[in-house]
């Protein structure tokens, strides 16, 4: 026996290739084995499936092939759209071997001539199911498919059992392969949203060309063929629309009945309510914090204000005490001066000089300040009569000189004011008509009596002055306007002087009237506290009087007593007198207006 020889061998062949593929793919069996196993399984399936003979096959009418179940004709009633092309070919082969006219004729069976034999239905079924386009058209109108849609009430109690099979059944129409499942009660909200989003945007391949009523191949001309195509397209579009509405109804019913949606909505509602409550609580806390800070600021401000008020009160008390002390000191110094002068018999030998010196001493007491009085008293305390007399006379001379100087300044200012008023009036075209103080006061009264907006205002004011003026000078509207403008140009001091003179005249006139009343025989009608008041009426008192006159008409018993009670600080006599003044003022105003109106009519 020969000795063994070592030979170098290179691995080759399909088994080595299978080993390399198995190692690279990290699988236990070879790729070829898997492929062979797959092909073997398919062949075994093709061999294992059994044809189901269609009982009514021989009774079928070849002309009514559109209404026939082609899967049942080939014996594939159970497999239907799941049948492979191999299975269809095998079924057709088996049906041909069994029902071919030649075989049946050889067996002695009577054969129908032409295309009227039922074998034509087998041929037509194979033709349609072998063509992918025609098979899809037939599958779209599969007579065994359940197009029903469960209602909302049907899925209320057992939602998943009712709708799961319906969605799975309709998923065969989807263009997308990975169709999401309905899931169960524990499915997350993201998966549920993805499921309904898929079905609300469902992309269906289902089409209804198989149900075309007219076949364009039978058309005799191009126009007829186009007409048939148009009719078929319209019918397909309508059926497609109905199909999509059916899918939408299915999804709507499922969404309305889905207990998970209700649960998610309740959770979302609870979450929003919790957020809302949290916001309300946060806002409430913020408001409470703001209110607390505001109250703290108010309290701080109140304490500061009380402190300021207390300091101001203490300061006022201090000032009051100082004023009281100063007042007492002035009073004491005045009394001291009077006593000193009285002890020296007012530095006079006869009574007339004494009275005159007494008046001068009182003038000193009124005019001199505290320091001046103290200095004067100090000078008088340690001096003789002659020295004291000289000191007093010197002080009197200084005070009299000061009074005289002030009086001269006042007179010069009044002369200047009068001169300015005259120059203004002469510059305004009224130089030939001088204005007295009474006329100026009357003008001011008329301007206030007839405010801006009065019809023909300046003519009315001119007529009013002509009626009530004591100077006898007739004024025109132009004169009144010029004088009113000149008064507006006066400085505030001059206006105050005119108003002061008017008030002094008013007091003087009323004082005379009061004296006349006092000298007259007393009357019970005007006996009341404050009956002699001559204080001018304020605007508030005027309003109260007018309201009281409206409240208590003429026929009211004790009318004027009630009106006086309604106007605080005014007596019955004051109210009656003011009422008469108002009546006269209104009458004068109406008379002036009527006179202007009559003059205007006369000019026209």
């Amino acid at each position: 026996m020969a000795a063994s020889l070592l030979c170098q061998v290179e691995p080759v062949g399909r088994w080595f290739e299978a080993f390399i593929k198995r190692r690279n793919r990290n699988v236990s069996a070879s790729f070829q084995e898997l492929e062979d196993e797959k092909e073997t399984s398919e062949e075994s399936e093709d061999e294992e499936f059994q044809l189901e003979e269609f009982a009514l096959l021989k009774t079928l009418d070849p002309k009514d092939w559109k209404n026939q179940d082609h899967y049942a004709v080939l014996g594939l009633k159970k497999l239907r759209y799941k049948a492979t092309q191999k299975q269809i070919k095998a079924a057709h082969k088996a049906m041909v071997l069994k029902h071919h006219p030649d075989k049946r004729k050889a067996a002695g069976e009577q054969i129908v001539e032409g295309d009227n034999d039922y074998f034509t239905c087998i041929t037509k079924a194979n033709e349609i199911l072998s063509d992918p386009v025609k098979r899809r058209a037939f599958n779209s109108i599969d007579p065994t498919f359940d197009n029903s849609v469960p209602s909302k009430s049907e899925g209320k109690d057992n939602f998943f059992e009712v709708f799961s099979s319906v969605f799975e059944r309709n998923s065969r129409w989807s263009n997308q392969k990975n169709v999401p499942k309905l899931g169960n009660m524990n499915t997350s909200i993201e998966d549920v949203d993805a499921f309904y989003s898929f079905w609300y945007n469902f992309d269906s391949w289902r089409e209804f060309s198989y149900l075309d009523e007219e076949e364009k191949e039978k058309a005799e001309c191009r126009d007829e063929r186009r007409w048939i195509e148009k009719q078929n397209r319209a019918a397909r579009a309508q059926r497609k629309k109905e199909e999509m509405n059916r899918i939408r109804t299915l999804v709507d019913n499922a969404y309305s009945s889905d207990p998970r949606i209700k649960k998610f909505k309740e959770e979302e509602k609870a979450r929003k309510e919790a957020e809302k409550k949290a916001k309300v609580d946060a806002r409430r806390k913020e408001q409470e914090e703001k209110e607390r800070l505001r109250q703290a600021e108010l309290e701080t401000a109140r304490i500061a204000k009380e402190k300021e008020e207390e300091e101001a009160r203490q300061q006022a008390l201090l000032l009051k005490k100082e004023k009281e002390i100063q007042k007492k000191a002035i009073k004491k110094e005045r009394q001291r001066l009077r006593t000193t002068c009285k002890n020296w018999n007012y530095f006079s030998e006869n009574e007339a000089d004494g009275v005159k010196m007494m008046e001068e001493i009182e003038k000193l007491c009124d005019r001199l300040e505290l320091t001046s009085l103290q200095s004067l008293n100090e000078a008088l305390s340690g001096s003789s009569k002659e020295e004291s007399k000289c000191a007093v006379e010197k002080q009197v001379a200084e005070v009299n000189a000061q009074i005289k100087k002030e009086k001269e300044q006042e007179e010069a200012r009044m002369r200047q004011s009068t001169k300015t008023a005259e120059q203004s009036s002469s510059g305004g075209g009224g130089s030939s008509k001088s204005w007295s103080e009474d006329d100026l006061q009357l003008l001011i009264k008329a301007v206030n009596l007839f405010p801006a907006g009065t019809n023909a205002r300046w003519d009315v004011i001119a007529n009013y002055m002509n009626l009530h003026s004591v100077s006898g000078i007739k004024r025109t509207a132009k004169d009144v306007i010029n004088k009113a403008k000149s008064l507006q140009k006066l400085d505030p001091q001059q206006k105050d002087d005119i108003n002061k003179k008017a008030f002094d005249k008013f007091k003087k006139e009323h004082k005379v009237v009061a004296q006349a009343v006092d000298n007259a025989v007393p009357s019970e009608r005007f006996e009341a506290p404050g009956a002699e008041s001559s204080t001018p009426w304020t605007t508030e008192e005027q309003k109260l009087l007018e309201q009281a006159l409206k409240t208590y008409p003429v026929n009211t018993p004790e009318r004027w007593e009630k009106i006086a009670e309604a106007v605080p600080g005014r007596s019955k006599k004051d109210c009656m007198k003011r009422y008469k003044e108002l009546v006269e003022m209104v009458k004068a105003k109406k008379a002036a207006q009527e006179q202007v109106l009559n003059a205007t009519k006369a000019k026209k």
Side-chain angles (χ1 to χ4, degrees):
M1 188 172 181
S4 299
L5 297 176
L6 293 176
C7 298
Q8 204 172 22
V9 181
E10 294 182 2
V12 292
R14 65 188 185 91
W15 298 111
F16 178 73
E17 292 176 359
F19 167 75
I20 297 299
K21 290 180 181 179
R22 185 169 62 252
R23 187 182 64 180
N24 293 337
R25 294 173 182 271
N26 195 20
V27 293
S28 59
S30 67
F31 177 76
Q32 189 63 35
E33 291 173 353
L34 293 176
E35 292 292 330
D36 294 342
E37 184 179 351
K38 183 177 180 182
E39 292 178 0
T40 305
S41 63
E42 289 180 355
E43 292 175 357
S44 62
E45 287 178 2
D46 293 341
E47 294 174 357
E48 288 176 1
F49 87 94
Q50 295 179 354
L51 296 177
E52 184 178 353
E53 186 72 26
F54 187 39
L56 302 178
L57 177 62
K58 296 182 179 181
T59 62
L60 294 177
D61 184 4
K63 295 180 180 179
D64 193 24
W65 60 270
K66 267 200 172 185
N67 297 323
Q68 297 170 5
D69 186 354
H70 301 303
Y71 287 112
V73 170
L74 294 180
L76 300 173
K77 190 173 183 179
K78 291 184 178 180
L79 292 176
R80 304 196 70 78
Y81 71 95
K82 296 180 180 179
T84 63
Q85 288 296 323
K86 289 184 179 182
Q87 291 172 339
I88 293 173
K89 288 180 181 180
H92 177 255
K93 183 178 179 181
M95 296 299 289
V96 168
L97 292 176
K98 185 176 181 180
H99 296 283
H100 195 275
D102 293 343
K103 287 221 173 195
R104 289 188 288 124
K105 187 176 181 181
E109 186 178 340
Q110 186 69 27
I111 305 299
V112 181
E113 296 295 334
D115 294 335
N116 295 325
D117 189 71
Y118 72 90
F119 186 76
T120 305
C121 295
I122 298 174
T123 305
K124 193 67 176 178
N126 181 61
E127 177 188 347
I128 292 175
L129 298 181
S130 298
D131 187 344
V133 177
K134 293 181 179 180
R135 184 183 181 186
R136 169 173 281 204
F138 177 72
N139 287 338
S140 297
I141 55 94
D142 190 345
T144 62
F145 181 77
D146 186 7
N147 287 304
S148 63
V149 175
S151 63
K152 298 178 182 179
S153 58
E154 291 177 5
K156 187 175 181 180
D157 296 330
N158 50 352
F159 171 78
F160 296 101
E161 290 78 2
V162 171
F163 282 94
S164 292
S165 59
V166 179
F167 279 108
E168 186 175 356
R169 183 170 67 242
N170 284 274
S171 64
R172 63 182 286 191
W173 310 122
S174 174
N175 277 320
Q176 299 182 20
K177 297 301 179 183
N178 298 324
V179 180
K181 301 296 183 180
L182 181 62
N184 51 37
M185 199 63 190
N186 298 323
T187 306
S188 64
I189 185 172
E190 291 80 9
D191 294 339
V192 174
D193 289 340
F195 173 80
Y196 284 107
S197 177
F198 174 86
W199 281 98
Y200 272 119
N201 300 284
F202 186 67
D203 184 15
S204 174
W205 57 262
R206 195 176 189 185
E207 49 95 10
F208 302 90
S209 60
Y210 189 84
L211 299 177
D212 291 344
E213 295 182 0
E214 301 288 343
E215 295 183 12
K216 64 180 181 178
E217 288 78 6
K218 296 180 181 181
E220 297 180 356
C221 61
R222 183 175 60 181
D223 293 337
E224 185 179 358
R225 185 165 56 254
R226 289 179 178 176
W227 181 84
I228 292 173
E229 289 178 354
K230 183 178 179 181
Q231 295 296 321
N232 291 337
R233 280 196 302 268
R236 293 174 195 170
Q238 180 63 28
R239 292 190 181 98
K240 184 71 172 180
K241 183 178 179 181
E242 293 175 356
E243 169 65 11
M244 297 312 297
N245 288 336
R246 184 185 71 85
I247 296 294
R248 184 59 182 254
T249 304
L250 169 63
V251 181
D252 288 340
N253 292 348
Y255 190 86
S256 300
S257 305
D258 197 335
R260 299 169 299 179
I261 300 297
K262 296 179 181 178
K263 183 183 73 171
F264 294 150
K265 287 183 177 180
E266 290 176 358
E267 292 176 354
E268 181 68 15
K269 183 178 180 181
R271 184 184 64 80
K272 289 183 177 180
E273 288 180 354
E275 291 179 356
K276 184 178 180 181
K277 184 178 179 182
K279 289 181 179 179
V280 171
D281 293 341
R283 193 180 299 112
R284 178 177 54 78
K285 291 180 180 179
E286 184 179 358
Q287 292 294 335
E288 291 177 354
E289 182 65 18
K290 288 182 179 179
E291 182 65 19
R292 187 185 65 79
L293 294 176
R294 190 180 70 83
Q295 292 295 337
E297 291 177 357
L298 291 176
E299 183 66 17
T300 305
R302 184 185 64 80
I303 295 173
K305 185 178 180 181
E306 289 180 354
K307 185 178 179 180
E308 291 178 359
E309 290 177 352
E310 181 64 20
E311 291 177 356
R313 189 175 65 83
Q314 295 295 335
Q315 187 69 20
L317 289 176
L318 185 60
L319 292 175
K320 185 177 180 181
K321 289 180 180 180
E322 291 178 355
K323 287 183 179 179
E324 290 292 334
I325 293 172
Q326 188 175 11
K327 186 177 180 181
K328 290 180 180 179
I330 290 175
K331 185 177 181 180
K332 181 179 178 181
E333 294 298 329
R334 287 174 179 173
Q335 187 62 34
R336 182 180 174 188
L337 178 59
R338 292 189 186 101
T339 303
T340 303
C341 293
K342 185 177 181 181
N343 292 336
W344 291 109
N345 198 19
Y346 296 103
F347 310 106
S348 61
E349 300 296 338
N350 52 43
E351 186 176 353
D353 294 338
V355 172
K356 184 178 180 182
M357 181 57 71
M358 186 185 300
E359 293 176 356
E360 297 294 339
I361 296 299
E362 291 299 324
K363 190 184 295 183
L364 291 178
C365 291
D366 292 337
R367 298 282 297 186
L368 293 180
E369 296 181 355
L370 178 59
T371 55
S372 300
L373 286 172
Q374 289 176 347
S375 300
L376 181 58
N377 286 326
E378 289 295 331
L380 296 178
S381 62
S383 303
S384 61
K385 181 178 181 181
E386 293 298 328
E387 292 175 350
S388 300
K389 182 179 179 181
C390 292
V392 171
E393 288 177 350
K394 180 180 179 182
Q395 193 68 46
V396 169
E398 291 178 357
V399 170
N400 288 335
Q402 185 179 0
I403 293 173
K404 183 178 180 182
K405 183 178 179 181
E406 291 176 358
K407 187 175 181 181
E408 289 176 353
Q409 290 177 352
E410 180 68 18
E411 291 176 355
R413 188 172 58 79
M414 291 300 297
R415 285 195 300 271
Q416 182 65 28
S417 175
T418 306
K419 185 178 179 181
T420 304
E422 291 176 356
Q423 289 176 355
S424 300
S425 60
S426 62
S431 58
S432 60
K433 301 177 181 179
S434 60
W435 288 78
S436 62
E437 293 184 0
D438 293 338
D439 289 342
L440 291 176
Q441 296 168 10
L442 187 61
L443 174 61
I444 295 172
K445 181 179 179 182
V447 169
N448 295 327
L449 185 61
F450 303 101
T454 305
N455 189 20
R457 182 191 182 196
W458 296 106
D459 293 330
V460 172
I461 292 174
N463 288 324
Y464 179 83
M465 292 193 64
N466 294 334
L467 289 174
H468 296 83
S469 178
V470 296
S471 63
I473 301 175
K474 298 297 182 180
R475 311 284 182 183
T476 63
K478 187 176 181 181
D479 296 336
V480 173
I481 292 173
N482 292 332
K483 192 61 182 177
K485 289 182 178 179
S486 64
L487 289 176
Q488 288 179 353
K489 295 178 182 179
L490 296 178
D491 59 344
Q493 185 64 35
Q494 292 174 340
K495 292 182 181 179
D496 293 340
D497 293 337
I498 295 174
N499 293 331
K500 184 178 179 182
K501 289 181 180 179
F503 181 70
D504 292 339
K505 182 181 179 183
F506 174 80
K507 277 182 69 176
K508 185 176 179 181
E509 291 176 355
H510 282 263
K511 186 175 181 182
V512 173
V513 173
Q515 289 177 357
V517 173
D518 290 340
N519 295 332
V521 179
S523 174
E524 294 182 359
R525 183 175 182 181
F526 300 100
E527 291 282 343
E532 303 301 325
S533 174
S534 60
T535 307
W537 284 69
T538 62
T539 305
E540 188 65 27
E541 291 176 341
Q542 181 69 30
K543 290 181 180 180
L544 292 175
L545 176 62
E546 293 175 359
Q547 184 62 38
L549 290 171
K550 294 178 183 179
T551 305
Y552 304 108
V554 180
N555 56 357
T556 304
E558 298 181 357
R559 181 192 185 198
W560 290 104
E561 286 79 358
K562 295 179 180 180
I563 292 174
E565 291 178 359
V567 185
R570 293 294 179 176
S571 63
K572 173 183 174 183
K573 180 179 178 181
D574 293 335
C575 296
M576 294 178 69
K577 188 175 181 181
R578 182 60 180 172
Y579 175 73
K580 290 180 180 180
E581 291 176 357
L582 293 174
V583 171
E584 292 176 359
M585 193 181 299
V586 172
K587 288 181 179 179
K589 185 175 181 179
K590 288 183 179 180
Q593 290 178 340
E594 289 177 359
Q595 188 173 357
V596 172
L597 185 61
N598 294 333
T600 306
K601 289 181 180 179
K603 288 180 181 180
K604 291 182 178 180

